[in-house]
Amino acid sequence: QVQLVESGGGLVQAGGSLRLSCAASGKIFSINVMGWYRQTPGKQRELVATISRGGRTNYAESVKGRFTISRDNAKNTVYLQMNSLKPEDTAVYYCNLNSISDSSLYWGQGTQVTVSS
């Protein structure tokens, strides 16, 4: 089993920045993709960004140019730097690890991000 623990959420004013972190522990295979998803009431969970071990990234169009995803493979940790935050970014952000090696999917417990206007 793999455990994911997010941190860094909180309250920020529009235009501000936050940095989310997610540390993975347990039996982690080398071939995996880590990412961030978010969900608000009345909307389905949506992809924010993903990153492979080799650094290949994928971003939702709504965050491209504002958010940056990165990872530290030695620490099994993924980060999400969020700049120029907007009220519509308010959501619970979930860390995800897609283990390609054993076809397993893992989720963190979520961290609340609130952007005030």
Side-chain angles (χ1 to χ4, degrees), residues 38-109:
R38 65 188 183 186
Q39 187 168 20
T40 57
K43 299 178 66 178
Q44 66 179 1
R45 189 172 298 183
E46 63 180 357
L47 181 147
V48 177
T50 62
I51 184 169
S52 70
R53 277 187 64 91
R56 295 184 298 276
T57 58
N58 176 240
Y59 294 94
E61 288 296 323
S62 60
V63 307
K64 195 172 296 182
R66 299 188 298 121
F67 292 9
T68 303
I69 190 170
S70 62
R71 64 186 289 170
D72 185 330
N73 293 329
K75 297 180 179 179
N76 290 314
T77 300
V78 64
Y79 307 93
L80 185 68
Q81 179 66 47
M82 304 184 293
N83 298 326
S84 301
L85 282 161
K86 305 174 180 179
E88 50 262 45
D89 294 318
T90 296
V92 176
Y93 284 70
Y94 295 91
C95 179
N96 167 267
L97 187 150
N98 185 359
S99 180
I100 308 301
S101 298
D102 64 343
S103 301
S104 298
L105 193 66
Y106 303 95
W107 294 95
Q109 81 288 344

